[in-house]
Amino acid sequence: MRAAVCSWLLVCLVACNASPPPRVEVARRPNLLFLLADQWRGQALGFLGQEKVQTPHLDAMAREGLVLTEAVSNYPVCSPYRAMLMSGQYPFQNGVYSNCNSKTTEHGCELRQQTTCWSDVLAARGYRTGYVGKWHLESPRAPFVESYNNSPKFAWNEWTPPERRHGFAFWHAYNTFDRHLAPEYWETDMTRDQRLKVDRWGPEHEADVAIEFLEAHQDAPFALVVSMNPPHMPYGQVPQRYIDRYADVPNQELLGGRPDLQAADTRMGRYTRRNLRLQYAMMTGVDEQIGRILQALDELGLAEDTIVVFTSDHGDCIGLQGQVSKNNAYELSMRVPLLMRWRGTLPARRDDLLLSVPDLYPTLLHLMGAGDDVPADVQGENHAELLLTGEGDRPEAQLYMKCPQGAMHLGKRGVRDHRYTLVVDRQAGEPETVLLRDRAEDPYQMKDYAAERPAVVERLRREQLEPLLDRIGDPWLSQSAAGAR
């Protein structure tokens, strides 16, 4: 009997000293306000001091919240990012491996109706849900809706029927429509052949709609996404008052002496010099509209009870590195801004966590006390405890990917750690190529180190890339193994 008692006491002591799994305790159900811009570089925030852009309201939000300085878009183009964000899954599981347009419709490239998005989870928990702005997760189907960016043979824009809105009860959105000064929306109860046409700059109108939503739902937990299209091109579609804020800034001051700037007499050199000032004007305009929404939160007494997230679906090279915009492994394309504010709960600080897009789904739900409802097929990692305390397991790398249409086993795969960016490119009938960037020695990514550092390439591939691809079931990895055999 004495031995049994001693054994029982030993079990109790071990249990008391064992480290329980991290769990975030939430005393109340916080609101969620998710502010999403389109094509905004992670470097282009005033408080970072890396670019000559004016973002006073986001600067103020950064002082109050968490700044994740190493956040990336794992597949830096619009629809794949948005699908990863909503589903918590990588493209090979959620099915969105390219932009949603009529060319990819035949491959089933759209957010599946049966996928359980985080918005579905919150709606089921009684949250009042709303989506405002760009969605870009619907496949256009013939006959295509009338839209300036649709033709009889090719289409981008499409209506999203209510059963495919993933729990968003309030709908004031479109799929993709790039007339920023004359946007069009489908409202909640509109049919496919109806449209609300607005004679106002898109972000300004969307801020108005968002503020009305906050006023109408201030007495119940809400989750609202405001997805603004600017600073996406065309860059000139921005009110003159924002352009005027940069009127006295010389081009040389805006551009600096960066080595990735192309020569002034080249096509991309002219592109950068013509558009950077306009893009900054767009960013300043979006910043001002975000400021209006955040002010409304304060005036309604909702700031302490609301998690606010600001980020973008990808960056923009805007001609630098000779690249028009995104969908490449340069930092200008992959890096995105990511600010999170929850007054009184989330400490204000900067963190270099290597966060990936699918991680936002479980992390936000755990922060909101809904972690038990995260579906088993979500592939993102929960970092809620780390965001709150600064302590916890940290990923060693982030994935990069780019897939050709209808051939997910081909294309580019890579990893980005705190120093290196590795990209392996496999195309049909061509030898595999490898690219290695050292961002510590070469922050503008002007040199390829793959040939002179084969050991680094092998280590990153064996220890980071292949295990990450294996974990998410990427067919690229199985094709690689078949080729090796």
Side-chain angles (χ1 to χ4, degrees):
M1 180 176 178
R2 185 178 303 156
V5 170
C6 290
S7 298
W8 178 80
L9 287 172
L10 180 61
V11 169
C12 289
L13 285 171
V14 171
C16 290
N17 288 315
S19 299
R23 183 177 179 85
V24 178
E25 298 295 336
V26 178
R28 61 193 186 281
R29 290 204 294 172
N31 308 309
L32 175 64
L33 174 59
F34 201 101
L35 304 168
L36 181 65
D38 194 331
Q39 206 160 296
W40 189 312
R41 287 181 301 284
Q43 301 86 343
L45 291 165
F47 70 90
L48 292 177
Q50 297 178 24
E51 298 196 30
K52 296 289 186 179
V53 61
Q54 302 168 27
T55 55
H57 300 285
L58 290 171
D59 295 352
M61 180 179 167
R63 289 192 294 271
E64 292 185 292
L66 175 65
V67 181
L68 295 176
T69 57
E70 298 297 322
V72 302
S73 178
N74 305 90
Y75 192 150
V77 71
C78 187
S79 298
Y81 172 95
R82 291 163 187 265
M84 287 188 286
L85 171 69
M86 296 307 304
S87 69
Q89 301 169 344
Y90 286 90
F92 321 101
Q93 186 160 337
N94 66 40
V96 183
Y97 61 91
S98 186
N99 263 337
C100 295
N101 55 47
S102 58
K103 193 173 183 179
T104 59
T105 297
E106 63 181 286
H107 301 293
C109 184
E110 65 180 355
L111 185 59
R112 296 166 181 151
Q113 185 173 338
Q114 66 268 29
T115 297
T116 301
C117 296
W118 57 260
S119 49
D120 292 307
V121 173
L122 293 180
R125 291 176 68 92
Y127 273 72
R128 308 295 174 84
T129 54
Y131 197 97
V132 178
K134 181 174 181 176
W135 177 245
H136 204 177
L137 287 169
E138 202 73 35
S139 285
R141 288 177 170 80
F144 303 131
V145 295
E146 184 181 343
S147 179
Y148 98 98
N149 54 346
N150 288 0
S151 70
K153 294 184 177 180
F154 184 79
W156 286 94
N157 206 10
E158 180 58 279
W159 176 66
T160 300
E163 66 272 15
R164 292 184 47 78
R165 294 175 186 171
H166 288 282
F168 288 110
F170 177 82
W171 192 258
H172 194 98
Y174 56 92
N175 264 278
T176 179
F177 187 87
D178 294 330
R179 285 190 169 176
H180 308 317
L181 292 170
E184 299 180 2
Y185 305 85
W186 280 278
E187 295 186 290
T188 305
D189 297 324
M190 283 184 173
T191 61
R192 189 173 187 254
D193 59 351
Q194 296 175 309
R195 208 81 53 86
L196 174 68
K197 298 185 179 183
V198 178
D199 186 21
R200 200 173 190 191
W201 194 49
E204 191 172 10
H205 170 74
E206 289 153 15
D208 290 344
V209 175
I211 291 168
E212 290 175 4
F213 180 94
L214 297 177
E215 292 171 345
H217 298 89
Q218 58 184 296
D219 297 326
F222 65 80
L224 174 65
V225 177
V226 185
S227 176
M228 299 180 181
N229 202 350
H232 190 285
M233 72 274 282
Y235 304 111
Q237 294 193 18
V238 57
Q240 185 64 40
R241 65 183 183 275
Y242 299 123
I243 300 174
D244 290 344
R245 298 192 188 182
Y246 295 88
D248 298 329
V249 186
N251 243 357
Q252 186 56 38
E253 184 176 335
L254 289 179
L255 295 165
R258 50 188 309 147
D260 54 354
L261 175 64
Q262 307 300 290
D265 59 351
T266 64
R267 185 172 71 91
M268 286 295 98
R270 290 190 293 270
Y271 187 84
T272 304
R273 290 165 174 80
R274 181 172 65 248
N275 290 313
L276 185 61
R277 183 187 308 272
L278 298 174
Q279 187 185 56
Y280 283 169
M282 279 188 167
M283 291 173 172
T284 297
V286 169
D287 175 84
E288 185 171 286
Q289 301 313 314
I290 287 173
R292 291 179 56 218
I293 298 171
L294 296 181
Q295 181 180 353
L297 270 187
D298 283 337
E299 293 174 352
L300 294 169
L302 298 171
E304 281 69 30
D305 293 325
T306 303
I307 299 173
V308 182
V309 180
F310 168 73
T311 190
S312 176
D313 53 2
H314 50 76
D316 186 2
C317 292
I318 199 165
L320 300 168
Q321 301 284 8
Q323 301 290 317
V324 174
S325 53
K326 63 269 187 177
N327 210 2
N328 59 66
Y330 286 110
E331 289 287 281
L332 297 169
S333 172
M334 285 189 69
R335 280 266 311 283
V336 294
L338 183 49
L339 314 180
M340 301 180 69
R341 190 191 79 179
W342 188 5
R343 285 182 183 164
T345 302
L346 198 60
R349 61 187 180 86
R350 296 190 188 188
D351 197 298
D352 65 356
L353 173 69
L354 295 176
L355 185 121
S356 293
V357 181
D359 299 342
L360 285 167
Y361 184 137
T363 299
L364 287 172
L365 287 191
H366 276 84
L367 282 175
M368 300 173 76
D372 292 341
D373 292 344
V374 175
D377 60 1
V378 164
Q379 296 176 312
E381 298 181 29
N382 167 33
H383 300 299
E385 189 73 20
L386 191 149
L387 298 189
L388 289 166
T389 66
E391 299 178 358
D393 293 336
R394 291 174 175 268
E396 295 182 6
Q398 301 150 308
L399 278 173
Y400 164 75
M401 56 193 65
K402 180 179 180 180
C403 306
Q405 294 178 19
M408 289 186 287
H409 62 288
L410 297 175
K412 298 180 180 180
R413 304 294 188 274
V415 284
R416 176 188 184 275
D417 67 9
H418 281 295
R419 177 171 180 173
Y420 291 105
T421 302
L422 171 72
V423 178
V424 183
D425 189 5
R426 183 183 303 135
Q427 302 297 331
E430 299 179 11
E432 186 178 275
T433 62
V434 179
L435 175 73
L436 181 68
R437 305 288 192 189
D438 183 341
R439 304 190 315 277
E441 290 188 12
D442 178 28
Y444 288 97
Q445 299 176 280
M446 304 298 292
K447 180 179 177 181
D448 178 8
Y449 291 82
E452 62 186 71
R453 299 184 187 176
V456 175
V457 171
E458 175 61 22
R459 176 181 62 80
L460 289 173
R461 187 164 184 163
R462 184 183 66 255
E463 297 180 7
Q464 300 298 339
L465 179 59
E466 292 180 357
L468 285 172
L469 295 179
D470 183 58
R471 184 177 75 81
I472 67 172
D474 189 332
W476 191 94
L477 184 61
S478 60
Q479 184 72 15
S480 178
R485 289 196 294 270

